[in-house]
């Protein structure tokens, strides 16, 4: 009963399942808010416009903006670490060749296996000292593109290429995946997308990595767990699913079943989740989405009407979602269209997210280890009441 002075709230209590709205720890790495996304004091649009991915990786891992000398040393070191153990590449190639080269293949699983194998040849694997953690972070950052590329080329039945020491990380990633030197624009757009994907405070995969790190487990174990978390369609897997949805819409239109509007009306009637839309934190839009869309559109416009059509469909989907549901796209929505017009195979979209987010994950693993306490929250028990075993019916 409420007293006469108490005001009865008509508001539904906040749904805190999935730790929604709860702050569970401190970090110096990243600040996510409705108004800004900041990596160690630098705002995301500023970084996307003025920095390179290697500079951002230095900011996240080492902790500050590099001087010209520091950047050169950092980049040289990364280049020197790109080669991956031959035996590991052979396993990657074998698994990749046994997967169908279609959207059903799971390069995320291949990459997770690759990282797990890397742990066995990393001399610092079981060493959690800050120096060893930094060396492992750099090796992972340098070697993930090699693994992604080797898997993709093997899956397509092509001869994998060695990493190119003359290319920056983004361009080298495209080179390793295709065996072709990327255009300047494609390399730039990949670089920007890696900057945008690099870090996002306590998202599910980073939190998973921190939980694993908090047990004092090694960095590779934490990264394997993070990859598992990122693979899901509610998290990083959404960039692949967003493109799959656009392809479905295109096929629906081509079959004469209707247009984008009727596709969306059917999706709403069936209460389908639209991939690449919505966000746990951002309720007024994801700061990264517009930046990536504008870079992707440059490629689409350059490639002609067949490429531009994906942005036309996507823009209409976005408009309908906003007008009818007040839900905005997250970074994964423009990512799908952008990587598609760049010619990147859809199953590699989430592994590319890993190639970038490895910087954020490693920064968080190191931060967790710097001031560690086991992450072990409590649960609210809602199961059956206490019953004597011998008195219970089976
Ligand atoms: C990433 O956390 C991070 O920082 C992640 C990330 C990062 O950089 O690390 O930003 C990257 O993972 C982006 C998110 C990618 N996922 C998707 O695009 C999948 C589709 N989106 C959703 O399922 C959803 O929006 C989540 C999972 C992203 C967020 O889920 P929440 O916070 O639990 O929100 P919710 O599911 O409770 O939705 C609230 C309401 C619901 O409606 P009501 O029941 O209140 O009427 O919004 C609706 C939802 O049905 N809604 C959607 C929707 N997203 C939310 N309806 C249709 N399509 C959607 N995509």
């Amino acid at each position: 009963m409420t007293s006469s002075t108490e005001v009865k709230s008509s508001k539904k209590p906040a749904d805190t399942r999935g730790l929604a709205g709860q702050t569970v720890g401190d970090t110096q790495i990243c600040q996510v808010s409705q108004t800004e996304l900041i990596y160690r004091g630098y705002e995301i649009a500023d970084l996307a416009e003025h920095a390179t991915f290697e500079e951002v990786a230095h900011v996240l891992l080492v902790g500050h903006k590099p001087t010209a000398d520091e950047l050169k040393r950092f980049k040289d070191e990364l280049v020197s670490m790109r080669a991956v153990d031959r035996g590991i590449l052979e396993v990657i190639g074998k698994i990749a060749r046994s997967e169908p080269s279609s959207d059903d293949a799971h390069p995320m699983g291949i990459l997770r296996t690759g990282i797990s194998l890397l742990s066995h040849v990393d001399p610092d694997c079981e060493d959690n000292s800050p120096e060893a953690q930094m060396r492992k972070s750099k090796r992972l950052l340098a070697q993930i593109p090699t693994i992604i590329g080797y898997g993709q080329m093997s899956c397509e039945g092509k001869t994998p290429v060695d990493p190119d020491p003359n290319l920056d990380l983004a361009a080298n990633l495209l080179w390793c995946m295709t065996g072709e030197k990327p255009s300047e624009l494609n390399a730039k757009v990949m670089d920007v997308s890696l900057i945008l994907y690099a870090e996002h405070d306590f998202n599910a995969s980073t939190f998973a990595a921190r939980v694993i790190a908090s047990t004092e487990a090694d960095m590779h174990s934490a990264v394997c767990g993070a990859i598992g978390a990122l693979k899901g369609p509610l998290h990083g897997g959404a960039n692949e699913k967003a493109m799959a949805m656009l392809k479905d819409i295109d096929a629906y239109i081509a079959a004469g079943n209707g247009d984008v509007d009727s596709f969306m009306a059917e999706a709403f009637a069936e209460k389908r989740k639209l991939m690449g839309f919505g966000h746990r934190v951002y309720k007024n839009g994801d700061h990264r989405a517009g930046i990536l869309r504008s870079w992707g559109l440059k490629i689409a416009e350059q490639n002609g009407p067949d490429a531009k059509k994906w942005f036309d469909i996507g823009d209409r989907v976005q408009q309908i979602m906003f007008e009818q549901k007040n839900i905005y796209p997250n970074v994964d929505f423009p990512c799908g269209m952008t990587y598609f017009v760049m010619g990147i195979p859809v199953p590699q979209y989430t592994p590319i997210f890993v190639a970038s987010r490895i910087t954020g994950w490693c920064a968080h693993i190191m931060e967790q280890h710097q001031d560690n306490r086991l992450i072990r929250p409590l649960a609210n028990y809602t199961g059956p009441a206490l019953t004597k075993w011998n008195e219970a019916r089976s």
Side-chain angles (χ1 to χ4, degrees):
M1 236 171 87
T2 47
S3 77
S4 55
T5 51
E6 279 174 347
V7 181
K8 238 184 179 175
S9 171
S10 57
K11 262 188 160 179
K12 272 200 297 184
D15 181 358
T16 54
R17 287 174 306 140
L19 296 175
Q22 297 180 48
T23 302
V24 297
D26 295 340
T27 182
Q28 298 187 353
I29 303 165
C30 179
Q31 187 183 2
V32 178
S33 74
Q34 300 303 330
T35 52
E36 278 166 329
L37 165 56
I38 293 170
Y39 297 171
R40 293 199 193 274
Y42 300 101
E43 203 269 321
I44 194 68
D46 187 17
L47 291 173
E49 194 177 344
H50 299 115
T52 64
F53 177 61
E54 277 90 340
E55 286 172 315
V56 170
H58 190 283
V59 167
L60 292 171
L61 292 173
V62 183
H64 64 265
K65 179 180 173 181
T67 63
D69 278 356
E70 282 174 325
L71 182 64
K72 185 176 179 325
R73 275 203 304 278
F74 184 67
K75 287 174 69 169
D76 287 350
E77 209 180 349
L78 290 179
V79 166
S80 75
M81 291 171 160
R82 283 178 180 168
V84 169
D85 177 89
R86 239 21 262 171
I88 292 179
L89 289 179
E90 275 163 28
V91 176
I92 298 293
K94 200 164 169 211
I95 306 170
R97 279 191 298 275
S98 68
E99 297 270 9
S101 61
S102 72
D103 288 2
D104 296 333
H106 281 291
M108 276 295 269
I110 298 175
L111 185 54
R112 190 195 54 230
T113 300
I115 306 291
S116 197
L117 291 170
L118 284 179
S119 73
H120 301 296
V121 295
D122 195 311
D124 292 312
C125 180
E126 300 298 335
D127 185 348
N128 283 348
S129 68
E131 299 75 23
Q133 299 277 57
M134 186 61 75
R135 287 194 294 272
K136 285 186 280 189
S137 302
K138 289 177 186 166
R139 282 185 204 117
L140 286 166
L141 176 59
Q143 291 177 355
I144 284 171
T146 312
I147 292 182
I148 292 175
Y150 202 94
Q152 182 56 36
M153 295 286 272
S154 304
C155 167
E156 291 181 35
K158 295 180 184 163
T159 307
V161 292
D162 289 332
D164 185 334
N166 299 311
L167 296 177
D168 286 346
L169 194 144
N172 179 59
L173 171 61
L174 289 168
W175 157 254
C176 288
M177 288 174 71
T178 59
E180 288 166 24
K181 293 278 155 67
S183 70
E184 215 173 285
L185 181 60
N186 276 19
K188 171 69 184 166
V189 176
M190 177 52 69
D191 194 77
V192 171
S193 78
L194 297 180
I195 291 173
L196 299 175
Y197 266 139
E199 165 54 11
H200 220 226
D201 77 21
F202 282 11
N203 62 86
S205 55
T206 301
F207 191 60
R210 287 193 78 129
V211 169
I212 296 170
S214 84
T215 70
E216 295 186 0
D218 60 285
M219 181 171 267
H220 289 81
S221 295
V223 170
C224 286
I227 292 179
L230 192 73
K231 184 168 181 268
L234 294 187
H235 192 10
N239 56 12
E240 296 175 22
K241 299 288 180 199
M243 191 58 220
M245 181 181 73
L246 293 182
K247 284 188 183 178
D248 285 349
I249 297 176
D250 186 49
Y252 172 92
I253 296 169
N257 292 331
D259 56 11
V260 179
D261 293 47
S262 57
F263 180 96
M264 294 293 284
E266 288 171 26
F268 292 152
E270 289 168 17
K271 298 203 179 313
R272 264 187 258 152
K273 273 207 171 101
L274 279 293
M275 290 295 146
F277 283 88
H279 198 273
R280 173 58 66 79
V281 181
Y282 297 133
K283 298 305 170 195
N284 307 316
D286 180 329
H287 310 297
R288 303 162 293 181
I291 302 172
L292 192 50
R293 180 193 169 277
S294 63
W295 278 105
L297 186 61
K298 282 188 215 285
I299 295 182
E301 281 170 343
Q302 187 195 65
N303 291 359
D306 284 352
K308 174 74 172 28
K309 91 170 171 192
W310 299 107
F311 281 75
D312 296 337
I313 297 173
D315 285 351
R316 183 69 194 137
V317 170
Q318 188 172 322
Q319 194 181 1
I320 295 169
M321 276 301 271
F322 176 68
E323 286 170 0
Q324 300 194 24
K325 299 280 173 190
N326 197 27
I327 296 177
Y328 292 82
N330 57 59
V331 65
D332 287 326
F333 190 65
C335 171
M337 302 183 263
T338 300
Y339 287 173
F340 194 74
V341 297
M342 287 170 76
I344 298 170
V346 175
Q348 292 293 1
Y349 295 2
T350 322
I352 293 172
F353 194 157
V354 174
S356 160
R357 186 57 61 88
I358 188 68
T359 53
W361 288 338
C362 291
H364 278 274
I365 292 164
M366 290 189 280
E367 188 179 63
Q368 183 66 37
H369 280 162
Q370 270 160 27
D371 182 26
N372 190 46
R373 191 164 189 214
L374 178 74
I375 297 175
R376 199 295 185 202
L378 298 176
N380 177 39
Y381 178 68
T382 59
L386 191 64
T387 311
K388 289 277 183 214
W389 183 255
N390 287 341
E391 291 163 16
R393 281 186 300 178
S394 14

